[in-house]
C-alpha cells in the first residue's frame, strides 16, 4: 500500500484558488473563442501580454479585458517577448499601471527566439528588482533545481519550470528534475510550458506539481473549447491521483483475482 | 505618420513638435496634454497605460503632463498572450 497524501489548497501570494489550471489568452481565433475556452477551462488566473496600442488603427476594436474581465479573473500580465531584465521590469511596471496597481506578474525573460528558453541570469536580475519594487513575481524558469531554489529564496511567490519548450507540445521531458524541484519547494511549483495534451497535464500533476499554466495546448487544438474541458479534467485527475498515491511499479504480474477456490 | 488637428496645423495656428510615439515618429501640438493625446487617438476611455520618457505616468498625471519636443511616449494595452 502507498500512503495517501493530505490535500492543501493552492495559495499564491496569499490568495487561495480552487482551480489548478492557469491559462493563457494567446493564439485564439477570436475573442469569442478565447472567452469560451477560458470559461470551460475553469481557470481563475489568466495570463495576458502587454503590447503597444496600434496608433491610427480602429480604437473601437473589442478589448481583451472586456472579454476576460479583471472582476471575474485574476489577470496575470506576462513579460513575453522580453530578452533582458531591463525590458521585463519596464513591462511589469506598465502592467501594474494598466491593472490599477495589481502587482502579480508572470516574469519570463527569454534567451533566444528559436528556443524561447529562459535566460536564467537575466531572470534572476529582473526577479530581484521586481521583488524589491513590491511586485509579486511568478517566475518562468528552466527545470534546474538550484535556480528554482534561488528564485524561491529570493521571494518569488511561485516558481514555474518548463516541461519542455514554450509552444512545443512535447510534454514533460524531465520528470526527475521536476521531482527534485518539488521535493524542496515551499512555494507553489507550476509547470509552465510544454504541455501538449491532457495526459501531459495529468503527468505533471501526478508528480505533485501545484498547478499548470498552459496556452498553446488549448488554443492550437483542433477544438480549443473541448481541449479546455479535457485539460480541466486532466489537471483534476492528476491531482487526485497524486493525493491518492499510486501503486508501486512491479516487474512481474500480481493477480487481481484470488487464487483460492479456482476449479483447476 | 499621423498628424493631430490637421486643419489647425494647416492653418499655421499651432506650434508643431516631433515626438516618438510607440517607437514611431509623430507630430503633435506643443503643449498637448497626455489626456488630450489619448482623446485624439480614441483611447481616452480605454484601459491603457502610459510610459513617458521611460517613466510610468500615472493616470492622475495625464491631465497636467504636456508634450515637449523629442518626448518618448509609449501607450500599451493588454492583448492575448501566454
Amino acid at each position: 500500500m502507498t500512503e495517501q497524501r493530505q490535500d492543501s489548497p493552492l495559495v499564491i501570494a496569499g490568495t487561495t484558488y480552487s482551480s489548478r489550471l492557469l491559462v493563457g489568452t494567446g493564439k485564439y481565433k477570436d475573442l469569442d473563442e478565447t472567452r469560451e475556452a477560458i470559461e470551460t477551462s475553469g481557470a481563475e488566473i489568466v495570463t495576458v501580454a502587454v503590447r503597444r496600442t496600434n496608433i491610427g488603427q480602429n480604437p473601437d476594436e473589442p478589448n481583451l479585458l472586456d472579454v476576460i474581465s479583471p472582476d471575474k479573473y485574476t489577470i496575470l500580465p506576462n513579460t513575453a517577448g522580453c530578452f533582458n531584465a531591463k525590458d521585463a521590469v519596464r513591462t511589469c511596471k506598465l502592467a501594474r499601471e494598466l491593472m490599477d496597481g495589481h502587482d502579480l506578474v508572470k516574469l519570463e525573460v527569454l534567451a533566444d527566439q528559436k528556443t524561447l528558453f529562459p535566460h536564467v541570469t537575466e531572470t534572476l536580475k529582473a526577479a530581484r528588482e521586481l521583488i524589491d519594487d513590491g511586485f509579486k513575481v511568478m517566475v518562468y524558469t528552466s527545470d534546474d533545481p538550484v535556480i528554482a531554489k534561488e528564485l524561491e529564496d529570493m521571494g518569488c511567490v511561485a516558481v514555474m519550470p518548463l516541461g519542455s519548450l514554450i509552444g512545443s507540445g512535447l510534454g514533460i521531458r524531465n520528470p526527475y528534475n521536476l521531482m527534485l524541484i518539488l521535493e524542496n519547494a515551499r512555494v507553489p511549483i507550476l509547470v509552465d510550458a510544454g504541455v501538449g495534451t491532457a495526459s501531459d497535464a495529468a503527468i505533471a500533476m501526478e508528480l505533485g506539481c501545484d498547478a499548470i499554466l498552459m496556452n498553446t495546448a488549448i488554443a492550437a487544438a483542433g477544438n480549443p473549447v473541448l481541449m479546455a474541458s479535457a485539460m480541466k479534467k486532466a489537471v483534476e485527475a492528476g491531482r487526485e491521483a497524486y493525493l491518492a498515491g499510486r501503486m508501486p511499479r512491479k516487474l512481474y504480474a500480481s493477480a487481481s483475482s484470488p487464487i483460492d477456490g479456482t476449479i483447476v | 505618420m499621423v498628424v493631430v488637428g490637421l486643419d489647425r496645423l494647416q492653418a499655421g495656428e499651432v506650434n508643431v513638435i516631433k515626438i516618438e510615439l510607440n517607437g514611431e515618429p509623430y507630430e503633435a501640438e506643443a503643449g498637448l496634454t497626455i489626456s488630450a493625446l489619448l482623446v485624439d487617438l480614441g483611447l481616452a476611455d480605454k484601459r491603457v497605460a502610459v510610459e513617458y520618457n521611460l517613466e510610468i505616468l500615472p493616470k492622475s498625471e495625464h491631465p497636467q503632463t504636456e508634450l515637449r519636443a523629442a518626448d518618448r511616449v509609449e501607450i500599451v494595452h493588454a492583448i492575448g498572450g501566454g
Side-chain angles (χ1 to χ4, degrees):
Chain A
M1 281 286 284
T2 315
E3 268 189 41
Q4 70 164 51
R5 297 182 173 94
Q6 283 298 314
D7 198 6
S8 58
L10 174 63
V11 181
I12 299 173
T15 303
T16 302
Y17 297 94
S18 55
S19 170
R20 292 176 184 272
L21 175 57
L22 289 70
V23 295
T25 51
K27 300 184 182 174
Y28 285 98
K29 188 179 68 190
D30 53 37
L31 285 178
D32 280 342
E33 189 182 74
T34 311
R35 189 193 60 244
E36 205 183 338
I38 284 158
E39 272 175 14
T40 305
S41 76
E44 296 165 297
I45 303 178
V46 175
T47 64
V48 302
V50 177
R51 289 291 179 272
R52 285 170 167 164
T53 53
N54 293 319
I55 302 301
Q57 288 186 16
N58 177 16
D60 293 324
E61 277 177 26
N63 186 295
L64 177 67
L65 294 181
D66 296 336
V67 174
I68 307 298
S69 167
D71 298 332
K72 191 173 167 191
Y73 297 98
T74 297
I75 304 297
L76 182 62
N78 69 25
T79 62
C82 291
F83 291 83
N84 59 61
K86 187 169 149 268
D87 289 346
V89 169
R90 257 178 92 193
T91 302
C92 286
K93 287 180 178 176
L94 278 164
R96 181 166 61 184
E97 168 68 10
L98 189 62
M99 301 309 300
D100 302 321
H102 174 72
D103 51 14
L104 186 70
V105 291
K106 172 183 161 178
L107 172 65
E108 53 180 308
V109 187
L110 307 172
D112 70 89
Q113 287 284 1
K114 196 170 177 183
T115 66
L116 301 179
F117 208 78
H119 193 310
V120 166
T121 52
E122 289 294 301
T123 300
L124 288 165
K125 204 156 77 178
R128 161 61 59 213
E129 206 173 316
L130 289 167
I131 291 164
D132 288 348
D133 195 12
F135 282 94
K136 299 180 181 80
V137 179
M138 298 177 71
V139 60
Y140 173 62
T141 185
S142 64
D143 59 6
D144 179 335
V146 180
I147 297 299
K149 193 71 199 162
E150 200 164 324
L151 288 162
E152 176 189 309
D153 291 345
M154 193 185 279
C156 291
V157 298
V159 176
M160 309 197 291
L162 50 75
S164 49
L165 299 183
I166 291 172
S168 70
L170 288 176
I172 311 303
R173 290 324 329 143
N174 197 340
Y176 301 103
N177 270 26
L178 290 180
M179 287 163 76
L180 290 174
I181 292 172
L182 288 161
E183 197 174 58
N184 296 312
R186 290 177 323 239
V187 295
I189 302 296
L190 289 76
V191 160
D192 178 4
V195 166
T197 189
S199 52
D200 296 332
I203 286 168
M205 293 307 292
E206 286 170 15
L207 289 172
C209 290
D210 297 280
I212 302 181
L213 200 169
M214 66 176 77
N215 189 153
T216 311
I218 297 175
N223 180 337
V225 177
L226 190 57
M227 187 57 91
S229 168
M231 289 300 184
K232 180 182 185 199
K233 290 167 186 160
V235 168
E236 287 170 2
R239 177 67 182 176
E240 286 185 5
Y242 166 74
L243 293 174
R246 63 153 294 145
M247 62 163 282
R249 289 178 173 84
K250 295 174 209 150
L251 184 58
Y252 292 107
S254 163
S256 302
S257 309
I259 302 296
D260 290 349
T262 49
I263 58 164
V264 291
Chain B
M1 199 187 302
V2 184
V3 176
V4 178
L6 193 59
D7 49 344
R8 294 182 62 211
L9 291 177
Q10 283 168 341
E13 291 172 12
V14 290
N15 179 21
V16 175
I17 52 164
K18 288 182 165 57
I19 64 163
E20 189 184 298
L21 176 60
N22 284 4
E24 300 287 335
Y26 189 89
E27 289 187 355
E29 186 179 335
L32 190 75
T33 65
I34 295 293
S35 297
L37 176 68
L38 291 174
V39 170
D40 285 346
L41 296 170
L43 298 171
D45 53 352
K46 305 290 177 187
R47 188 184 274 271
V48 294
V50 178
E51 190 191 67
Y52 180 69
N53 294 331
L54 298 175
E55 296 288 337
I56 297 298
L57 189 72
K59 282 184 189 68
S60 57
E61 294 176 24
H62 292 186
Q64 61 264 30
T65 304
E66 297 181 354
L67 290 175
R68 287 173 301 193
D71 275 346
R72 285 178 65 186
V73 180
E74 295 280 354
I75 306 173
V76 301
H77 63 161
I79 64 157

